[in-house]
Amino acid sequence: MKSTRLPAHLEQARQEIEQIARSYGLDFFPIIYEVLDYRTLYETAAFGGFPTRYPHWRFGMEYDQLLKGHIWAGSTIYEMVINNNPAYAYLLEGNEDVTQKMVMAHVTGHVDFFKNNMWFAHTNRKMLDTMANHAARIQRIIDRIGYDQVEEFIDTCLSLENLIDYHAPYIRRPEAVTPRPLINDEEPPVVEGLPVEREYMRDYINPPEFLEAQRRKLEAERARQRRFPENPQRDVLLFLMNFAPLENWQHTVLEIIRDEAYYFAPQGMTKILNEGWACLHGESLIVTDRGLIPIRDVVTQRLTARVSDGQRRQTVYDWNVFTAYPTVTIRTRTGLSLTGSHNHRILLANGEWRRLDELHCGDQVRIAGGTELWATTPATLRRRPKLKRVLAYVPANTAAQSVLARHRSYRRTAEVVVDETLAAQLGRSCTRRADHRALAAICRSPRPQVVAFLRTFCAGTPRLADNSVTIACPTDSVAATVQLLLLNLGVLVTRRDTSLHIADAAALERALLAPSTPVAWTDDIVAIEHGTADVYDISVTETHRYAAQGFINHNSYWHSTIMTKHVASAAEIIAFADLHSGVVATSGGRLNPYKLGLELLRDIEDRWNKGKFGKEYEECDDIALKRSWDKQLGLGRQKIFEVRRLYNDVTFIDEFLTPEFVMEQKLFTFRYNRDTDLYEIASREFKEVKEKLLFRLTNFGQPVILVEDGNYGNRGELYLRHRHEGVDLKMDYARETMRNLYKIWTRPVHLETVIEEKRRLLSFDGRDFSERRMD
C-alpha cells in the first residue's frame, strides 16, 4: 500500500514551521499530515474532510464536481484540515514544496483556533472516529431496511439540519418533556374521590369541595397535556427525536444528522475570525461561463460559476456580501474602471499583487484580454423589439449581406430567446439609445450572439487613416460594457466617455471571425477615488484570482508572516507571493479574514497597546487627548489571543465595535427608496450600524423557528413560530420545510410568521397548503 506520510524534507519543514508557530504563541493539537493523490483527496473533500461518511448521493455529486474541476479546469485544493485531536490535514501529491509549506503554516493557525476558542470547546475531538461509527450504523440500517428508503429519509433530515439551537451546548434551556401521551382519545376520566365501603359514608369521606378540587386539578393536568412543550423549543430536531412517531432506525438517522450539524456549527459561528476575503462593488462585471454578469448576481444567487483567472478556468466555491464598506475606485488610461474594498488586490504589470488603497497614479496594472469565456446557453428577454432589416458588419473584401427578419409583434410580457438575428438587431438599436436590459442579455449570451451584436453595433464605422476605428456609443455605461465585451474577445479598446477607439481595426475583424487566445496588456492608473458601497466577495479555487472589469483580481487575503519571515527560501518567495501574498492579521495569525474583522483586530491591538480602554479613557471628554492617548501598555498581542479564545463573530462585534471605529471607517446603514429607485444612506448612528451588523450574523442570518405546541388544537398537530426580526420568510423555502416536517411528524404542520407586516398562519395537511390572517 502506498505510503501517505510526509517525505523527509517536508517532515523537516513541518517541525520547523510548528516550532516557529509556537514561538509566536500559537498552541495547537498535534497535526497529522497525509499526502494524497488527487482522487483520494477529492473523495475526502467531498466527505467534508473525513475519510469515511455514511453513503448518500450528495457526496457523490460533490466528488464528481470536484474531480471534473481538477481534470478539466486544473482546479486544486490547497488546504483541508479537520477539527480533531490529533488534527488531520491533507496535502495534494505533486504540489510544489512552497505550496506544501504554505499549507502547513496556515493549518497551524486553524488548529490553534480550534483548540483554544471556547465555541469549539464542546465539539467532539474524536469526530474522525465518530464519523466512521455513523457510517457503519447507517450502513447496517441500509442492509436491513433498503437503500432507497433510507436515502429518502436522509434527504428529509438534511433539509432540516439547520433547525437546531446553535447555543445549546453553552446554555441550558428548559427541555420539552412530558410524561403523558400526545393524544388521549379515551373519554375523560371521572373524579370519583376516595374509595368507600359503605355508601352512607361517601359524602363524609368525599365532600363536594374535595371532589371539585380534584376535578380542577385533573382539568389543569389535561390542559397541560394539550399544550406542550411548556416552553418554546429552538432545537426542532431534538423535539422531533423526542416526540415524533419515528421508527428506531429513523430515530438513529435523525440523531446522526443532528450530531453532525452541531459539530459543524462552530465553524459557521467563527467565520469572520477564522477565514478571509476581499471584495468588489456589486456592479462589477465578472467573466463567467454564464456570461459577463455583475458579481452581485453571482453572490446573491450563490452561483457555482466557472471564471477565468486570465489563463485558465476556475470555480467559485464561496460567496459573501458586506454592506457600507470603504471602497477605492481606480481608472486607467484606456478608460477601464474598478471599484472594490480598499484591501482588495489586483495584479500589477510586474506580477506583483497590490491592494487598491496602496496604488498610486502612474502604477501599471495587468489587463486581461481574450479570455473567451462566454455563456453556454442563449439569454432571454422579457420583450422582443420589432425586427427590421439591418446591415451586418463583415470583414473587409467580403460581400455585404443583410440580415433579414420578419416583422413580428410580441406582448411586452413575452419572454423570447436572444438568437443571432435578434442580437444583430439589438446591436443596431443600441447604437441609438441605451437599452440596458438588451445589453445585459447580450452579456449573458454565447459567443455567436455577442459577435452578431458587435458586428451591427460597429457597422458603418469608417476606418481612419492610421487603420484605427472610433465607435460612438449613446451613453458612458453602454461604452463601458461594450469595451469589456471586446476585451473578452481579445480586442484592446480605449474608452473616452461615450467613444471607443480601437487602434487596430484588423484586430477587431480577426476577433469577430475566430476565438483568440488570452492576451495580457498593461495599463496606467490615471485616477483614484475613495467612497463607500456594498461590496461582494467570491472565493475561487486554486489560483484564487479571477478576471473582472478587465483586471486580474485576487480573492484571498491570508496571513503569511511565518512563510515570508522564517520558512520560505529566497528561491521560493516569488512562487509563494504568487500563491498567497499580503499580510492580513496583526497577531500570530489567521484569526481574521474579513475586512471588518481585520480592521477591528487592528483597532483592538492598537487600543490595548496604547491603553485606550477602561474607566479613565471612557470618561475622558477631550477628543484631542483621546486621539493622542498612549499609555504604552503593550497589551495588544495578549488581547488578540484573548479574543481568539473567548469570542465568536457576534460577541466579537458586539464587544469591540466602538463609535470611534464606526466613525473612522465611515460605516452606515442604507435602505432602498422605491420613489427614486435608489439606495440611500439610512443612518450613520453607531447604534443602528451595530444592530445591522449583529442582525446579519445572529443565527447565521437564518430565520429562528421555535416549537410552540406539539398538540395544537388537541389533535397532535405541530405548531411552529417564526421569530420575525424584520425579514420575511422565503415562501418557497418555508413550504418545502413544512412538507419535510410533515413527513417526520406525520400530522399537519402550522407555521406562524409575519408577511408584509401582517401575522399569518401557514398550514400544510399533507396534501395542500393554506394561509390565514391572524390579526
Side-chain angles (χ1 to χ4, degrees):
M1 183 176 178
K2 186 177 180 180
S3 174
T4 60
R5 293 184 177 180
L6 288 175
H9 68 287
L10 286 181
E11 174 60 26
Q12 182 179 353
R14 179 195 67 80
Q15 295 176 12
E16 180 184 357
I17 289 169
E18 292 186 0
Q19 182 179 358
I20 295 168
R22 294 188 190 281
S23 71
Y24 272 96
L26 300 183
D27 175 25
F28 41 86
F29 295 126
I31 304 172
I32 298 175
Y33 290 93
E34 294 193 14
V35 183
L36 306 178
D37 62 84
Y38 75 94
R39 288 185 180 274
T40 306
L41 180 66
Y42 284 103
E43 181 180 342
T44 305
F47 282 146
F50 292 89
T52 304
R53 295 289 295 275
Y54 57 85
H56 190 255
W57 61 265
R58 69 166 179 164
F59 301 131
M61 180 183 68
E62 182 68 19
Y63 172 72
D64 185 65
Q65 182 178 359
L66 290 171
L67 192 62
K68 286 180 178 178
H70 179 81
I71 294 174
W72 301 109
S75 62
T76 302
I77 293 177
Y78 283 127
E79 169 215 351
M80 190 161 54
V81 57
I82 298 177
N83 171 29
N84 201 73
N85 184 14
Y88 281 80
Y90 303 101
L91 305 178
L92 177 61
E93 183 182 65
N95 276 347
E96 296 179 356
D97 287 350
V98 63
T99 304
Q100 312 291 39
K101 294 176 183 179
M102 176 195 67
V103 171
M104 288 189 283
H106 190 71
V107 164
T108 57
H110 276 306
V111 180
D112 168 84
F113 195 83
F114 292 151
K115 180 179 180 180
N116 296 285
N117 184 266
M118 65 167 289
W119 300 95
F120 285 88
H122 295 278
T123 57
N124 185 350
R125 302 298 190 183
K126 299 296 180 183
M127 199 61 182
L128 198 71
D129 298 333
T130 302
M131 288 288 191
N133 182 44
H134 288 172
R137 293 172 68 188
I138 289 184
Q139 186 59 56
R140 288 196 295 269
I141 294 172
I142 291 174
D143 294 339
R144 187 174 72 255
I145 304 299
Y147 182 83
D148 291 342
Q149 188 174 354
V150 175
E151 181 187 59
E152 182 179 358
F153 187 73
I154 291 176
D155 288 343
T156 300
C157 295
L158 288 175
S159 71
L160 306 173
E161 66 177 345
N162 63 328
L163 298 181
I164 60 175
D165 182 359
Y166 292 105
H167 295 93
Y170 321 101
I171 302 174
R172 182 174 296 276
R173 303 187 193 274
E175 293 293 336
V177 294
T178 175
R180 301 291 185 178
L182 305 189
I183 301 175
N184 189 352
D185 293 328
E186 301 175 356
E187 291 294 327
V190 177
V191 178
E192 297 179 350
L194 299 174
V196 295
E197 294 181 358
R198 296 175 175 82
E199 187 64 26
Y200 68 87
M201 295 289 294
R202 181 175 299 279
D203 291 340
Y204 179 78
I205 296 176
N206 297 299
E209 57 273 15
F210 171 74
L211 294 178
E212 182 61 27
Q214 290 295 101
R215 277 193 289 269
R216 288 197 299 268
K217 183 178 179 180
L218 184 60
E219 282 299 317
E221 177 64 20
R222 286 181 56 79
R224 192 185 67 81
Q225 289 184 45
R226 285 194 295 269
R227 182 178 178 85
F228 83 102
E230 296 179 6
N231 303 281
Q233 302 297 309
R234 285 192 60 175
D235 194 338
V236 179
L237 292 191
L238 178 61
F239 187 84
L240 295 176
M241 287 171 55
N242 286 338
F243 301 110
L246 298 171
E247 297 182 25
N248 288 338
W249 70 268
Q250 292 175 321
H251 188 280
T252 298
V253 171
L254 183 57
E255 180 184 26
I256 288 173
I257 299 298
R258 178 176 174 271
D259 286 347
E260 294 187 3
Y262 272 111
Y263 169 78
F264 288 111
Q267 299 180 30
M269 297 168 67
T270 56
K271 202 169 187 180
I272 287 180
L273 287 172
N274 210 18
E275 289 294 345
W277 299 269
C279 321
L280 287 179
H281 188 273
E283 297 304 320
S284 301
L285 292 180
I286 180 172
V287 180
T288 76
D289 61 352
R290 301 168 187 256
L292 271 69
I293 55 179
I295 193 172
R296 176 190 290 113
D297 293 353
V298 177
V299 172
T300 56
Q301 299 175 32
R302 300 180 69 82
L303 300 178
T304 54
R306 302 294 301 282
V307 298
S308 173
D309 65 3
Q311 296 291 332
R312 293 180 296 171
R313 310 285 172 84
Q314 306 296 343
T315 303
V316 177
Y317 67 87
D318 202 359
W319 313 260
N320 291 277
V321 58
F322 309 100
T323 60
Y325 242 62
T327 60
V328 176
T329 300
I330 62 171
R331 291 183 176 83
T332 68
R333 194 174 303 281
T334 62
L336 291 172
S337 177
L338 178 78
T339 299
S341 59
H342 59 88
N343 68 313
H344 184 78
R345 292 179 295 157
I346 62 172
L347 187 63
L348 300 187
N350 62 2
E352 175 188 351
W353 294 99
R354 187 169 296 175
R355 290 165 44 131
L356 294 184
D357 61 358
E358 296 174 346
L359 292 171
H360 302 89
C361 290
D363 286 343
Q364 289 193 325
V365 296
R366 185 81 57 85
I367 302 300
T371 53
E372 289 286 3
L373 183 57
W374 305 99
T376 55
T377 57
T380 59
L381 272 176
R382 294 292 295 172
R383 178 180 61 86
R384 186 174 188 174
K386 294 181 180 180
L387 301 180
K388 301 178 180 179
R389 184 188 298 270
V390 294
L391 183 64
Y393 178 81
V394 296
N397 303 321
T398 302
Q401 296 180 357
S402 61
V403 180
L404 180 63
R406 291 176 298 175
H407 291 270
R408 181 176 296 177
S409 297
Y410 290 84
R411 292 179 299 174
R412 294 183 62 85
T413 57
E415 189 172 85
V416 294
V417 175
V418 179
D419 54 17
E420 292 182 54
T421 300
L422 179 55
Q425 194 276 335
L426 294 176
R428 174 53 62 97
S429 65
C430 281
T431 61
R432 299 188 299 270
R433 62 183 181 85
D435 188 341
H436 296 292
R437 288 193 302 170
L439 201 56
I442 293 299
C443 287
R444 295 173 183 265
S445 295
R447 190 181 198 278
Q449 282 87 323
V450 175
V451 169
F453 171 86
L454 292 173
R455 278 177 175 163
T456 54
F457 188 86
C458 302
T461 302
R463 293 192 186 186
L464 302 179
D466 59 354
N467 199 36
S468 63
V469 174
T470 298
I471 305 167
C473 303
T475 64
D476 288 347
S477 60
V478 171
T481 303
V482 173
Q483 181 186 28
L484 293 178
L485 290 172
L486 289 168
L487 200 65
N488 201 27
L489 286 170
V491 181
L492 183 59
V493 184
T494 299
R495 179 170 64 90
R496 295 288 182 270
D497 298 327
T498 61
S499 296
L500 299 175
H501 182 73
I502 303 173
D504 184 6
L508 172 62
E509 296 170 0
R510 290 193 301 269
L512 294 176
L513 282 175
S516 61
T517 56
V519 184
W521 294 292
T522 60
D523 202 356
D524 299 333
I525 296 177
V526 297
I528 300 176
E529 300 175 5
H530 295 265
T532 305
D534 294 350
V535 289
Y536 296 79
D537 159 72
I538 58 173
S539 292
V540 180
T541 56
E542 190 177 355
T543 58
H544 301 283
R545 61 189 192 185
Y546 56 92
Q549 292 293 116
F551 300 86
I552 303 296
N553 304 267
H554 207 297
N555 77 280
S556 64
Y557 193 56
W558 294 350
H559 179 73
S560 60
T561 300
I562 294 176
M563 284 293 292
T564 56
K565 291 187 176 181
H566 302 281
V567 178
S569 66
E572 294 172 331
I573 283 292
I574 298 300
F576 171 73
D578 185 56
L579 291 169
H580 286 296
S581 60
V583 176
V584 169
T586 53
S587 68
R590 287 165 292 285
L591 297 182
N592 165 57
Y594 284 168
K595 174 60 181 175
L596 176 61
L598 169 65
E599 297 298 342
L600 264 179
L601 285 173
R602 286 176 173 169
D603 185 62
I604 292 168
E605 186 177 38
D606 180 71
R607 286 167 55 198
W608 262 256
N609 277 335
K610 296 179 179 180
K612 292 184 175 183
F613 61 91
K615 182 179 180 181
E616 182 183 358
Y617 177 78
E618 297 296 334
E619 292 180 351
C620 178
D621 296 328
D622 189 332
I623 297 178
L625 179 59
K626 293 185 76 171
R627 286 180 177 175
S628 61
W629 193 285
D630 190 356
K631 299 293 185 179
Q632 298 184 354
L633 299 182
L635 299 176
R637 178 64 62 86
Q638 177 182 335
K639 189 63 179 180
I640 289 294
F641 277 88
E642 179 185 319
V643 170
R644 170 207 62 180
R645 185 175 70 255
L646 299 177
Y647 292 85
N648 64 20
D649 292 346
V650 173
T651 57
F652 174 60
I653 291 178
D654 186 40
E655 176 74 16
F656 297 108
L657 192 73
T658 64
E660 293 83 4
F661 181 86
V662 170
M663 183 182 301
E664 180 182 348
Q665 297 298 321
K666 300 178 181 178
L667 301 180
F668 59 85
T669 63
F670 70 97
R671 61 173 173 236
Y672 177 71
N673 189 324
R674 296 181 181 274
D675 297 330
T676 62
D677 194 29
L678 295 172
Y679 286 96
E680 300 175 346
I681 294 176
S683 174
R684 295 185 183 273
E685 292 295 325
F686 167 71
K687 180 180 178 181
E688 296 189 27
V689 171
K690 185 175 181 178
E691 287 178 352
K692 187 78 170 180
L693 287 170
L694 291 176
F695 175 77
R696 295 182 63 85
L697 293 171
T698 302
N699 207 51
F700 308 145
Q702 299 177 3
V704 175
I705 306 297
L706 307 172
V707 177
E708 288 284 338
D709 194 352
N711 189 25
Y712 180 61
N714 199 29
R715 297 186 298 269
E717 298 176 2
L718 185 62
Y719 189 99
L720 307 171
R721 178 172 60 84
H722 168 219
R723 194 171 73 189
H724 195 274
E725 295 175 324
V727 179
D728 292 355
L729 291 175
K730 291 183 178 180
M731 285 299 101
D732 52 344
Y733 282 33
R735 292 189 180 96
E736 288 304 312
T737 300
M738 293 174 67
R739 190 189 302 276
N740 288 327
L741 282 169
Y742 178 87
K743 292 179 182 178
I744 294 179
W745 192 252
T746 71
R747 289 181 177 272
V749 177
H750 309 273
L751 175 61
E752 177 188 331
T753 185
V754 175
I755 302 176
E756 296 180 350
E757 301 182 355
K758 301 291 184 181
R759 290 178 65 209
R760 297 287 189 273
L761 184 65
L762 310 177
S763 301
F764 179 65
D765 62 5
R767 292 180 300 178
D768 301 314
F769 289 94
S770 61
E771 177 183 332
R772 68 178 177 85
R773 295 182 58 177
M774 300 185 66
D775 53 17

